Amino acid sequence: MDFSLIAPYLPMVWQGLAVTLEVTGASLALAFAAGFLIAVLKVLPCRPLRAALDFYTSVFRGVPLIVLLFIAYFATPQLTGFKITMFQASVLTLGLNGSATVSETLRGGIQGVDAGQYDAARALSMGYTGMMVWIIIPQALRSVAPALVNEVVTVLKSSSLVATIGLMDLMRAAQSIQALTYRAFEPFILVAVVYYAIVMALTALGRRLERALR
């Protein structure tokens, strides 16, 4: 074991880290935006809409992420004629997949809010949007915050799959270093340490958020 052999390739690792963080950040933005919207729509008394959203959720939760990623990157040009980039395919797949989990998590939190809160909001003549924004969702977030933090970590770790379509993220950087040096242990251990450090930082931030929400 000699980590000095991979020292000249450290810039490749930091570039991969930047790509990983970009993919993760963009995917989380899409996941939370779409997930919140889907969760709010799912609690509406409209069966056809709820059935369509349940089907959407079941697809993204039931199909392996790597299969969805391959469909997004390799099949989209064939089906639509639109050439999608590796970054776009990665964000679209991770974001939509994450939105399915976020929506189910938040929906459970919304439905777990005491019915009296809805009655109190209606008694104050609040509309549906105002009731959700100011009364229901803030209370739901307190109960589902740990699950949402776990989803952030899951998206970060799942982003390593984008290496399979050639995007130069952390995982792809490690694979490239392995190909150049014929050393597997050192680059993958280094990347594992980087992932671990980021996850621990996110976990610490998540705990602070939970305390703040309480």
Side-chain angles (χ1 to χ4, degrees):
M1 184 170 60
D2 185 0
F3 284 93
S4 64
L5 294 175
I6 66 170
Y9 304 99
L10 286 179
M12 187 182 299
V13 174
W14 308 139
Q15 290 172 5
L17 173 61
V19 172
T20 291
L21 294 178
E22 288 174 5
V23 169
T24 301
S27 300
L28 286 172
L30 176 58
F32 278 88
F36 272 63
L37 177 61
I38 292 169
V40 172
L41 293 176
K42 273 190 173 183
V43 297
L44 289 173
C46 179
R47 289 187 177 181
L49 176 61
R50 193 161 58 244
L53 293 175
D54 283 341
F55 175 73
Y56 167 91
T57 302
S58 68
V59 168
F60 281 98
R61 297 183 74 185
V63 178
L65 186 57
I66 193 168
V67 175
L68 295 172
L69 181 61
F70 276 36
I71 290 173
Y73 183 62
F74 295 111
T76 297
Q78 178 183 346
L79 295 174
T80 66
F82 175 74
K83 183 173 177 58
I84 190 170
T85 66
M86 288 182 286
F87 183 85
Q88 291 169 339
S90 301
V91 170
L92 187 65
T93 304
L94 291 170
L96 295 181
N97 184 76
S99 72
T101 302
V102 170
S103 67
E104 283 299 287
T105 301
L106 188 58
R107 179 186 61 82
I110 290 173
Q111 293 180 333
V113 174
D114 187 83
Q117 300 293 315
Y118 292 87
D119 296 335
R122 295 189 188 98
L124 294 172
S125 301
M126 294 188 71
Y128 182 79
T129 301
M131 176 177 65
M132 281 293 173
V133 171
W134 298 109
I135 305 295
I136 305 303
I137 290 180
Q139 294 185 60
L141 284 175
R142 284 201 307 179
S143 61
V144 302
L148 293 179
V149 172
N150 286 339
E151 181 59 21
V152 172
V153 172
T154 298
V155 171
L156 170 66
K157 293 193 294 185
S158 297
S159 69
S160 61
L161 290 174
V162 305
T164 59
I165 61 173
L167 189 62
M168 187 57 74
D169 71 325
L170 263 177
M171 186 65 179
R172 187 69 174 180
Q175 292 172 336
S176 299
I177 294 172
Q178 178 192 13
L180 292 168
T181 62
Y182 300 102
R183 307 282 293 191
F185 187 83
E186 292 87 348
F188 287 114
I189 286 295
L190 175 60
V191 166
V193 170
V194 173
Y195 273 116
Y196 180 77
I198 298 173
V199 168
M200 289 301 99
L202 290 174
T203 302
L205 288 174
R207 288 172 182 162
R208 294 187 64 179
L209 175 62
E210 290 173 37
R211 288 197 295 268
L213 288 174
R214 293 195 192 103

